[in-house]
Amino acid sequence: MVVADAARLLAASVPPLTPDGDEARRWAERELADPVYDAAQPTAIDRIARAIGDFFASLFSTRLSGDWGPWVSIVAAVVIAVVIVAAFLVWGVPRASGRARATRELFGADEQRSAAELRRDAEALAAKGEWDAAIVLRFRALARGLIERGAVDTPPGATVHAFARAAARAFPAHAGALESAAGAFDDVRYLRRPGTEELYRRIAAVDDQVSTARPVLTELAGATS
């Protein structure tokens, strides 16, 4: 009897393996509250992509009476192609200029500043008569400005004269001034010749000129060493 009573008490303390309706609902709510189920839900982008895919699938799978079916598919394909071409014409084709802008190396230095920041800092140095540093920064501002516009690409290791030649292809009217500016940068940066106000003003002038000029080439001009 003692063993039987103990067995009955143990059975009463164990929850039933098959829950009733309320218990099953509570178990389901606890399970679905797990964050892993939220992560598995489709995002807004997923829903939009699925809706677009469903639209085109229904467009090409819809059966029309008579001879209209094939013509509707052809017209839809032409419309899609026109929209894609128009998007490229309006927003442009992704080109190497994006990669060039992402490359911060500039004439052997890791330069993080934008063209506007380089010009501002160069002017501040020029105002203090620090012509060597001002010349170096203003030429880098010239190069960074053309890179930001997508007119010239300066891959890592490109020299200032390679840059000047590439820029001259985009701005042939300023070819001589660009090469002269590159020579001034070389003299000050590498040959350690003293910078002067005249050299700085020469670089600043060509920077101002090409920054407002339109490049004559539609393709990105590449600079090589």
Side-chain angles (χ1 to χ4, degrees):
M1 289 294 295
V2 174
V3 174
D5 292 340
R8 284 195 297 272
L9 291 174
L10 179 60
S13 64
V14 176
L17 296 179
T18 304
D20 58 20
D22 292 338
E23 186 66 19
R25 185 180 67 255
R26 287 195 293 271
W27 287 6
E29 290 174 349
R30 286 198 299 270
E31 178 64 20
L32 293 176
D34 193 324
V36 71
Y37 290 98
D38 291 334
Q41 293 297 317
T43 64
I45 299 299
D46 295 333
R47 295 189 183 95
I48 293 173
R50 184 181 301 168
I52 294 174
D54 292 343
F55 168 75
F56 284 115
S58 63
L59 179 65
F60 289 103
S61 63
T62 302
R63 295 183 178 274
L64 298 178
S65 60
D67 299 330
W68 287 102
W71 285 106
V72 170
S73 298
I74 293 173
V75 170
V78 171
V79 170
I80 294 170
V82 169
V83 170
I84 293 173
V85 171
F88 281 132
L89 292 176
V90 172
W91 289 290
V93 180
R95 302 184 305 172
S97 58
R99 295 192 300 271
R101 283 192 291 270
T103 301
R104 309 312 297 177
E105 192 274 341
L106 195 60
F107 307 130
D110 182 17
E111 182 55 71
Q112 302 295 323
R113 285 169 287 187
S114 66
E117 292 169 335
L118 287 166
R119 291 187 185 105
R120 182 193 61 210
D121 294 344
E123 284 294 321
L125 291 169
K128 295 187 291 186
E130 298 180 16
W131 301 115
D132 291 4
I135 287 169
V136 169
L137 287 191
R138 191 57 186 256
F139 189 85
R140 286 179 174 154
L142 165 63
R144 179 54 49 79
L146 296 186
I147 294 169
E148 289 174 349
R149 292 173 60 190
V152 178
D153 182 14
T154 55
T159 66
V160 291
H161 291 284
F163 161 78
R165 290 191 295 270
R169 291 194 291 272
F171 304 93
H174 304 284
L178 287 164
E179 184 59 35
S180 177
F185 178 94
D186 256 351
D187 287 346
V188 171
R189 181 71 173 82
Y190 299 113
L191 301 180
R192 302 299 180 182
R193 293 175 180 170
T196 64
E197 181 178 1
E198 189 273 334
L199 287 177
Y200 176 78
R201 298 303 172 196
R202 186 190 306 173
I203 296 175
V206 68
D207 181 24
D208 291 339
Q209 291 163 7
V210 299
S211 65
T212 57
R214 291 190 61 181
V216 298
L217 298 181
T218 56
E219 295 297 327
L220 188 69
T224 57
S225 59

